[in-house]
Amino acid sequence: MKYKVNTLNKSISQSLVLLKESWRIILLLSLFICGLIIGSFVVKNNDSIMSNQLESIIKSGITTKNNSQFWEVFFNSITVNLVFLISAFSLGLCAIGIPFISLIPIIKGFGLGISGAYIYSNYSVKGVCYCLLILFPAQIISSALLIYACNESYYMSGDLFFSLNNTLNLKEKNPVRLYLTRFLLLALFIALSAGFDAVLSSLFSSFFSLF
């Protein structure tokens, strides 16, 4: 009995340590999911004027993607995601950047939620297949990378804030260099994600004629 209690206490302690170390990722993931939900509700509850505008934007985006060559899809994808990545990087270098960093996963989730919900609500099974084969795979990868980038920005912005207030001594001698290195690696993975997006579009877009 004593052994079971000790084991339970150890498991709880390990869970608390893991939660303490991962709360930023959990928060950012929650914000992304909130963005998805908000985007879905916008599609479900919008009025006719907004619906026409939304339909025009999404149709234009999908048509452009379906009619584009591999490199065009690649450059469009990498451009959009690099805007998010550069925003996260820049805000991480600001001592009061954390509230603004939190907006990035919300905006990313909002855009994906609107696109996915609109395609599903208007094209049912065909729309679901389009989302599963073309829209979601690369978007999930790029979203995960951006959440990780925002996590790094959280750390950097928080460290800068507390160091400016003389409540924290930075452990790293060159924290900005390490920060830059990590974001360069993330940019590389964003490029790979864009390549994956272009491959999926090239392979499957010809099977879908939603409009």
Side-chain angles (χ1 to χ4, degrees):
M1 183 67 179
K2 185 177 180 180
Y3 172 76
K4 291 182 178 179
V5 172
N6 290 336
T7 302
L8 179 60
N9 289 336
K10 185 178 180 180
S11 298
I12 293 173
S13 298
Q14 290 175 342
S15 299
L16 290 174
V17 170
L18 181 62
L19 182 61
K20 184 178 179 180
E21 293 176 349
S22 307
W23 71 267
R24 293 176 181 84
I25 289 289
I26 295 171
L27 173 61
L28 290 164
L29 181 59
S30 300
L31 292 172
F32 174 75
I33 293 171
C34 285
L36 283 173
I37 294 171
I38 293 169
S40 300
F41 273 108
V42 166
V43 171
K44 184 177 180 180
N45 300 311
N46 62 7
D47 55 31
S48 58
I49 296 176
M50 184 180 290
S51 180
N52 291 334
Q53 293 175 338
L54 187 62
E55 181 178 4
S56 176
I57 292 171
I58 293 176
K59 277 185 177 182
S60 176
I62 292 177
T63 302
T64 299
K65 188 170 186 177
N66 288 350
N67 294 332
S68 296
Q69 300 298 319
F70 176 91
W71 290 110
E72 291 175 315
V73 176
F74 173 81
F75 283 118
N76 287 337
S77 179
I78 197 173
T79 299
V80 170
N81 286 306
L82 281 179
V83 168
F84 284 109
L85 190 67
I86 292 170
S87 298
F89 176 81
S90 302
L91 289 169
L93 296 175
C94 177
I96 56 171
I98 288 179
F100 305 101
I101 295 167
S102 302
L103 294 175
I104 294 175
I106 296 176
I107 295 170
K108 179 71 173 177
F110 181 77
L112 184 57
I114 280 184
S115 300
Y118 179 85
I119 293 170
Y120 169 73
S121 63
N122 286 276
Y123 305 102
S124 59
V125 176
K126 198 172 185 180
V128 170
C129 292
Y130 180 89
C131 289
L132 291 176
L133 292 174
I134 298 177
L135 180 63
F136 286 160
Q139 286 292 331
I140 289 173
I141 294 172
S142 63
S143 297
L145 291 169
L146 288 171
I147 287 173
Y148 181 81
C150 289
N151 183 57
E152 291 296 320
S153 298
Y154 265 3
Y155 274 111
M156 190 65 187
S157 181
D159 286 351
L160 287 173
F161 178 82
F162 289 115
S163 64
L164 289 174
N165 286 277
N166 298 317
T167 56
L168 176 69
N169 291 321
L170 295 178
K171 296 178 181 179
E172 298 289 339
K173 292 183 178 180
N174 296 298
V176 176
R177 180 182 296 178
L178 179 62
Y179 182 68
L180 176 60
T181 301
R182 288 173 176 170
F183 268 82
L184 288 174
L185 287 173
L186 285 168
L188 174 61
F189 284 116
I190 287 289
L192 293 174
S193 172
F196 183 52
D197 189 16
V199 168
L200 292 178
S201 182
S202 298
L203 289 175
F204 300 115
S205 60
S206 61
F207 295 101
F208 296 94
S209 179
L210 297 181
F211 314 123

